[in-house]
Amino acid sequence: MDKHVIVEGVGGSRELLLGNEAAVRGALEAGIGVAASYPGTPSSEIGDVLSTIAGAAGVYFEYSANEKVALEVAAAAAACGVRSFTFMKHVGLNVAADSFMTTAYIGTKAGFVILTADDPSTHSSQNEQDNRYYARLAGVPLVEPSNPQEVKDFMVASFDISEQLGMPVLFRTTTRISHMRADVVFGDRRPAVAKGEFVKDAKAYVPVPANSLRMHVQLLARMDEARRLSETSGLTRVVDIGQQPTIGIVTAGSAFNYVMDALEQMGASARILKLGFTYPLPLDRIREFAGTVEQLLVVEELEPLMEQEIKADFLSHRIATPVLGKEDLQISRAHELNVDIVTKCLGRHFGIAVTDAAAATVKAWPSPLPLRPPVLCAGCPHRGTYMAVRRAIRELALPEPIFASDIGCYTLGISAPFSAADYLLSMGSSIGIAAGFDVAQDRRVFAFIGDSTFFHAGLSPLASAVHNKHRMVVTILDNRTTAMTGHQSNPSMLTGAAGEPAPAISIEAVVKAMGASFVRTINPYRVEDATAAYREAIQADGVAIIVAKQICSLLLDRAKRAKGVWQTFRVDAERCTGCLTCIHEAACPAMYVAQGHAVINQDLCDGCSVCSQVCPEHVIEVKR
Amino acid sequence: MTSVNIFFAGVGGQGIITGASLLARAAVALGMKAVMSEVHGMAQRGGSVVCELRLGNVQSPMIPDGQASIIIGFEPVETVRSLRKAHSTTVIVTETRPIVPVSVSLGGTPYPEVADLLAYLRSQVADVYAVAAADIAEGLGMPQSANVVLLGAALATGVLPLSREILEQTIAATVPAKTVDANMRALAAGIAGSRRS
Ligand code: SF4
Ligand code: SF4
């Protein structure tokens, strides 16, 4: 699909959109003028679309160095009267949280929406935190859609709510909503307004204590008003399923979809209060709803937030209708829900035996199947880096070091034979963690961090490590892009979000200025040179930096295809001794073993040559 | 339930999302309701990948266990791995060429014989269509079109509520202009090469 449809599509037209694409359409229909983000799955495609179409849409868009900066860009633009949008993955909001918390105090002039894309079941994340807590922690309204059409419609509504209340709105999706594709009917676009005016008012914008004390009181008053909006919001609706339902179900987001499909499967009846404006909860409305049914079930993914608030409210209002939630229905607080889980839990409660169609007839393969976890791509430059690290450690007979890893494709170095990830917390955490390992134990410490991650949250830890005289080997894996999330720009690149020229910041110059004791740039495709550099770095004192510079192979592939230069490697089976050094050192997904010899899958080989460099028999050659 | 549930399974990088989107677009063009669930992010790096497409009046794109109408497997082990979505009348279309995970070469669980995998599929469901889609695509000089070959094979089973014409129109309207012909040939080859086995 041509992404420009999202700008050019007229009101009334329809398009099969990903939830994330629908978010962009909604923001455009709301007339945003400024948007900023740092990429993170499952929110990344929002930026992929915006970076492509922002120019055509008359919107300013940037990839900021991290989520906190992105939120600040959007907050200030909104203070100028420009509708502004920032979006991030759930853990990105942790990074932005410092400023986010205060935007609730300061409020906003123009509509300001902060999208958080949560990742229950950690498809692409380090945790499955429930960001509905953030709405409660900061005191901002929360909106949750259930499908792409609602993503689009609720986005428009969220900008209106934000402006009406004078405060930012938190818009929460989950992976299954962000990555759901369905038909979306477009509305009309409000013209984008990218410039406004900032009217100075330090009392309103600078939370020194005298002001912040007052702001907090104002925030509470705005939240009372938000509650009134939630009580009558059109984003919340009642759906009746079947005849004369006596059971009421309160639900929202993905859970609503599963409830609907589960009821259909069971042929059961229920009255559903489907919440769209989910915080503050419309408690009057929920009480009234409870009056029309005999019992109230709360079905929500992750934490029992709605359940607890409803139970507390019913208790204080002496509402007799029983409320059943997580424990009563045996719905886990961990991991995402699906139709099977909800059918089972509701089926148990409704007393409807749900036959497991699969178990009845089809049996799984009787023994374990080979696992296929994600791995470094064939041709990935990180492979050469990790091979060189392992070689240098072996050559120096260094006792097994400790590897602090970070967030990016290179986290996949966790797998054998590299086994180069021992501890990981968050974006940019590798260097701080390495500092802790350096003081609290005696083995040598390595940190691995990508170029984009380094600019995101690696700069201050590096300053801290140098200043506090720590000893570590830091590898900055500079693949000239933000690869894991789909190749977005970052400050080390010569191009900005839309591919336009931008000043690149030299990683080498930065780390030298920060006082690194040893700085060396390597080409990870040259295993021997890279290994020699690591031997030196390991022997250096202080913070030794290796910049492993080689463009992501997926990007290089595009260039190679365009130029028509493509080579692959093959193993000369006659001369291969079957020692498998190649596979045990490179572990490339293009290689496998057949009849005791290494074989290279010609469909997958990227021609990076690193396997050929470690073959002791020199029998891996360019295929002629 | 009245939906047609199409489950795709394969390995990151095989063009699964592209293939599934083509079916979804074709269905929408016929006025059907389509919901689809895609996988983006870390899982795409050569790991097991699934994509779920449901046509009909459902809310969630995720197919309940045992309720796939058809499984389109892009790799034999991944096809077998997705059997939890099958019941005895599920139709299975599977690529026969394996992609051996690197874990196998490093001493992990061995890769089963493809013949055994196919025999097992046949023992579990009535209709299995084993297709050498990658070979066919290579024969056409377009190795990247194996996904469209598989779509052709799936179409020929008659389970998809789609006509060849609408799928051709969708492909023509979606893929880059210079690859339309090659994709049409891939689709035709898939339809021709679809045989119950
Ligand atoms: S390292 Fe060389 S000789 Fe050893 S298995 Fe690989 S190709 Fe064969
Ligand atoms: S040259 Fe070797 S290591 Fe590089 S992609 Fe090909 S098989 Fe893999």
Side-chain angles (χ1 to χ4, degrees), chain A residues 570-573 575-584 591 593 596-600 611-612 614-620:
Chain A
R570 59 179 284 279
V571 176
D572 182 344
R575 293 187 291 145
C576 169
T577 60
C579 68
L580 303 187
T581 307
C582 51
I583 290 181
H584 287 125
M591 310 192 87
V593 188
H597 296 294
V599 186
I600 293 176
C611 59
S612 73
V614 299
C615 169
E617 309 297 327
H618 307 289
V619 300
I620 305 181

Short mmCIF file of all heavy atoms in Angstrom, two decimals, chain A residues 570-573 575-584 591 593 596-600 611-612 614-620, ligand 1:
data_model
loop_
_atom_site.label_atom_id
_atom_site.label_comp_id
_atom_site.label_asym_id
_atom_site.label_seq_id
_atom_site.Cartn_x
_atom_site.Cartn_y
_atom_site.Cartn_z
N ARG A 570 30.28 -20.55 -0.74
CA ARG A 570 29.93 -21.96 -0.71
C ARG A 570 31.08 -22.75 -0.10
O ARG A 570 32.22 -22.30 -0.08
CB ARG A 570 29.60 -22.49 -2.10
CG ARG A 570 30.73 -22.35 -3.11
CD ARG A 570 30.33 -22.92 -4.45
NE ARG A 570 30.34 -24.38 -4.43
CZ ARG A 570 31.45 -25.11 -4.56
NH1 ARG A 570 32.62 -24.53 -4.72
NH2 ARG A 570 31.38 -26.42 -4.54
N VAL A 571 30.73 -23.91 0.41
CA VAL A 571 31.75 -24.78 0.99
C VAL A 571 32.14 -25.82 -0.06
O VAL A 571 31.27 -26.45 -0.67
CB VAL A 571 31.20 -25.50 2.24
CG1 VAL A 571 32.24 -26.48 2.79
CG2 VAL A 571 30.78 -24.50 3.30
N ASP A 572 33.42 -25.99 -0.27
CA ASP A 572 33.89 -27.03 -1.17
C ASP A 572 33.80 -28.36 -0.43
O ASP A 572 34.66 -28.69 0.40
CB ASP A 572 35.34 -26.73 -1.60
CG ASP A 572 35.87 -27.76 -2.58
OD1 ASP A 572 35.26 -28.86 -2.69
OD2 ASP A 572 36.90 -27.48 -3.22
N ALA A 573 32.75 -29.11 -0.71
CA ALA A 573 32.45 -30.32 0.07
C ALA A 573 33.59 -31.34 -0.01
O ALA A 573 33.83 -32.10 0.92
CB ALA A 573 31.14 -30.95 -0.41
N ARG A 575 36.78 -30.81 -0.03
CA ARG A 575 37.92 -30.49 0.84
C ARG A 575 37.51 -30.21 2.28
O ARG A 575 38.36 -30.09 3.17
CB ARG A 575 38.68 -29.29 0.26
CG ARG A 575 39.38 -29.61 -1.08
CD ARG A 575 40.26 -28.47 -1.53
NE ARG A 575 39.48 -27.30 -1.93
CZ ARG A 575 39.86 -26.04 -1.74
NH1 ARG A 575 41.01 -25.78 -1.17
NH2 ARG A 575 39.08 -25.05 -2.13
N CYS A 576 36.20 -30.02 2.52
CA CYS A 576 35.73 -29.75 3.89
C CYS A 576 35.99 -30.97 4.76
O CYS A 576 35.61 -32.08 4.41
CB CYS A 576 34.23 -29.43 3.85
SG CYS A 576 33.47 -29.39 5.47
N THR A 577 36.64 -30.77 5.89
CA THR A 577 36.97 -31.90 6.77
C THR A 577 35.85 -32.17 7.78
O THR A 577 35.93 -33.11 8.56
CB THR A 577 38.25 -31.61 7.57
OG1 THR A 577 38.02 -30.43 8.35
CG2 THR A 577 39.44 -31.39 6.66
N GLY A 578 34.84 -31.28 7.79
CA GLY A 578 33.74 -31.49 8.73
C GLY A 578 34.09 -31.12 10.15
O GLY A 578 33.43 -31.55 11.10
N CYS A 579 35.08 -30.25 10.33
CA CYS A 579 35.44 -29.84 11.69
C CYS A 579 34.37 -28.93 12.31
O CYS A 579 34.28 -28.80 13.52
CB CYS A 579 36.79 -29.10 11.68
SG CYS A 579 36.71 -27.50 10.85
N LEU A 580 33.57 -28.29 11.46
CA LEU A 580 32.45 -27.41 11.86
C LEU A 580 32.90 -26.17 12.65
O LEU A 580 32.09 -25.55 13.35
CB LEU A 580 31.38 -28.19 12.63
CG LEU A 580 30.78 -29.39 11.89
CD1 LEU A 580 29.61 -29.97 12.68
CD2 LEU A 580 30.32 -29.03 10.49
N THR A 581 34.17 -25.81 12.53
CA THR A 581 34.63 -24.56 13.14
C THR A 581 33.77 -23.39 12.67
O THR A 581 33.40 -22.51 13.45
CB THR A 581 36.09 -24.29 12.72
OG1 THR A 581 36.86 -25.46 13.01
CG2 THR A 581 36.67 -23.09 13.44
N CYS A 582 33.44 -23.39 11.38
CA CYS A 582 32.66 -22.28 10.81
C CYS A 582 31.34 -22.12 11.55
O CYS A 582 30.99 -21.02 11.99
CB CYS A 582 32.43 -22.52 9.32
SG CYS A 582 31.75 -24.14 8.95
N ILE A 583 30.61 -23.21 11.69
CA ILE A 583 29.29 -23.13 12.32
C ILE A 583 29.42 -22.83 13.81
O ILE A 583 28.67 -22.01 14.36
CB ILE A 583 28.50 -24.43 12.07
CG1 ILE A 583 28.13 -24.50 10.58
CG2 ILE A 583 27.26 -24.50 12.95
CD1 ILE A 583 27.34 -25.71 10.18
N HIS A 584 30.42 -23.44 14.44
CA HIS A 584 30.54 -23.20 15.88
C HIS A 584 31.04 -21.81 16.22
O HIS A 584 30.79 -21.31 17.31
CB HIS A 584 31.44 -24.28 16.51
CG HIS A 584 30.73 -25.60 16.60
ND1 HIS A 584 31.22 -26.76 16.07
CD2 HIS A 584 29.52 -25.91 17.12
CE1 HIS A 584 30.35 -27.74 16.27
NE2 HIS A 584 29.31 -27.25 16.90
N MET A 591 23.90 -21.40 7.36
CA MET A 591 24.71 -22.61 7.35
C MET A 591 23.99 -23.77 8.03
O MET A 591 23.26 -23.57 9.00
CB MET A 591 26.03 -22.38 8.11
CG MET A 591 26.76 -21.13 7.66
SD MET A 591 28.43 -21.10 8.33
CE MET A 591 29.27 -22.02 7.07
N VAL A 593 24.41 -28.42 8.53
CA VAL A 593 25.30 -29.58 8.37
C VAL A 593 24.57 -30.65 7.58
O VAL A 593 23.41 -30.94 7.86
CB VAL A 593 25.69 -30.16 9.75
CG1 VAL A 593 26.76 -31.23 9.58
CG2 VAL A 593 26.17 -29.05 10.67
N GLY A 596 27.80 -34.67 7.40
CA GLY A 596 29.03 -34.39 8.12
C GLY A 596 29.80 -33.17 7.63
O GLY A 596 30.86 -32.86 8.15
N HIS A 597 29.28 -32.48 6.61
CA HIS A 597 29.98 -31.30 6.11
C HIS A 597 29.14 -30.05 6.35
O HIS A 597 27.93 -30.13 6.47
CB HIS A 597 30.21 -31.42 4.60
CG HIS A 597 31.11 -32.55 4.23
ND1 HIS A 597 32.43 -32.57 4.59
CD2 HIS A 597 30.88 -33.70 3.57
CE1 HIS A 597 32.99 -33.69 4.14
NE2 HIS A 597 32.05 -34.41 3.54
N ALA A 598 29.82 -28.90 6.37
CA ALA A 598 29.09 -27.64 6.43
C ALA A 598 28.54 -27.34 5.04
O ALA A 598 29.19 -27.59 4.03
CB ALA A 598 30.03 -26.53 6.87
N VAL A 599 27.31 -26.82 5.00
CA VAL A 599 26.70 -26.42 3.73
C VAL A 599 26.16 -25.01 3.90
O VAL A 599 25.71 -24.66 4.99
CB VAL A 599 25.53 -27.37 3.34
CG1 VAL A 599 25.01 -27.01 1.95
CG2 VAL A 599 25.95 -28.82 3.41
N ILE A 600 26.25 -24.22 2.86
CA ILE A 600 25.70 -22.86 2.92
C ILE A 600 24.47 -22.77 2.03
O ILE A 600 24.52 -23.09 0.84
CB ILE A 600 26.77 -21.83 2.50
CG1 ILE A 600 27.89 -21.81 3.55
CG2 ILE A 600 26.16 -20.44 2.35
CD1 ILE A 600 29.05 -20.90 3.21
N CYS A 611 32.50 -16.41 7.81
CA CYS A 611 32.69 -17.84 8.03
C CYS A 611 33.95 -18.31 7.31
O CYS A 611 34.71 -19.13 7.82
CB CYS A 611 31.47 -18.64 7.56
SG CYS A 611 31.05 -18.40 5.82
N SER A 612 34.19 -17.74 6.11
CA SER A 612 35.35 -18.18 5.33
C SER A 612 36.65 -17.80 6.05
O SER A 612 37.66 -18.47 5.90
CB SER A 612 35.31 -17.54 3.94
OG SER A 612 35.63 -16.17 4.01
N VAL A 614 37.28 -17.96 9.18
CA VAL A 614 37.64 -18.82 10.31
C VAL A 614 37.79 -20.29 9.93
O VAL A 614 38.16 -21.10 10.75
CB VAL A 614 36.62 -18.69 11.49
CG1 VAL A 614 36.60 -17.24 11.99
CG2 VAL A 614 35.23 -19.15 11.09
N CYS A 615 37.52 -20.62 8.67
CA CYS A 615 37.68 -22.02 8.25
C CYS A 615 39.17 -22.35 8.21
O CYS A 615 39.93 -21.75 7.45
CB CYS A 615 37.07 -22.23 6.86
SG CYS A 615 37.51 -23.83 6.15
N PRO A 616 39.62 -23.33 9.02
CA PRO A 616 41.06 -23.63 9.07
C PRO A 616 41.56 -24.22 7.75
O PRO A 616 42.75 -24.16 7.47
CB PRO A 616 41.18 -24.63 10.22
CG PRO A 616 39.81 -25.15 10.47
CD PRO A 616 38.85 -24.13 9.99
N GLU A 617 40.67 -24.79 6.95
CA GLU A 617 41.09 -25.42 5.69
C GLU A 617 40.96 -24.46 4.50
O GLU A 617 41.29 -24.84 3.38
CB GLU A 617 40.23 -26.67 5.41
CG GLU A 617 40.14 -27.66 6.58
CD GLU A 617 41.49 -28.26 6.94
OE1 GLU A 617 42.32 -28.45 6.03
OE2 GLU A 617 41.71 -28.53 8.15
N HIS A 618 40.45 -23.28 4.73
CA HIS A 618 40.23 -22.28 3.66
C HIS A 618 39.43 -22.87 2.50
O HIS A 618 39.80 -22.72 1.34
CB HIS A 618 41.57 -21.74 3.15
CG HIS A 618 42.44 -21.23 4.26
ND1 HIS A 618 42.15 -20.06 4.94
CD2 HIS A 618 43.55 -21.74 4.84
CE1 HIS A 618 43.06 -19.88 5.89
NE2 HIS A 618 43.92 -20.89 5.86
N VAL A 619 38.34 -23.56 2.84
CA VAL A 619 37.55 -24.18 1.77
C VAL A 619 36.18 -23.52 1.59
O VAL A 619 35.32 -24.05 0.92
CB VAL A 619 37.40 -25.70 2.00
CG1 VAL A 619 38.77 -26.35 2.03
CG2 VAL A 619 36.63 -26.00 3.27
N ILE A 620 36.00 -22.36 2.25
CA ILE A 620 34.76 -21.61 2.01
C ILE A 620 35.13 -20.46 1.07
O ILE A 620 35.96 -19.62 1.39
CB ILE A 620 34.15 -21.07 3.32
CG1 ILE A 620 33.95 -22.21 4.33
CG2 ILE A 620 32.83 -20.35 3.04
CD1 ILE A 620 33.32 -21.78 5.65
S1 SF4 C 1 35.33 -24.81 9.01
FE1 SF4 C 1 35.83 -25.35 6.91
S2 SF4 C 1 36.52 -27.46 7.02
FE2 SF4 C 1 35.48 -27.02 8.95
S3 SF4 C 1 33.35 -27.68 8.57
FE3 SF4 C 1 33.44 -25.49 8.06
S4 SF4 C 1 33.87 -25.49 5.87
FE4 SF4 C 1 34.34 -27.55 6.57
#
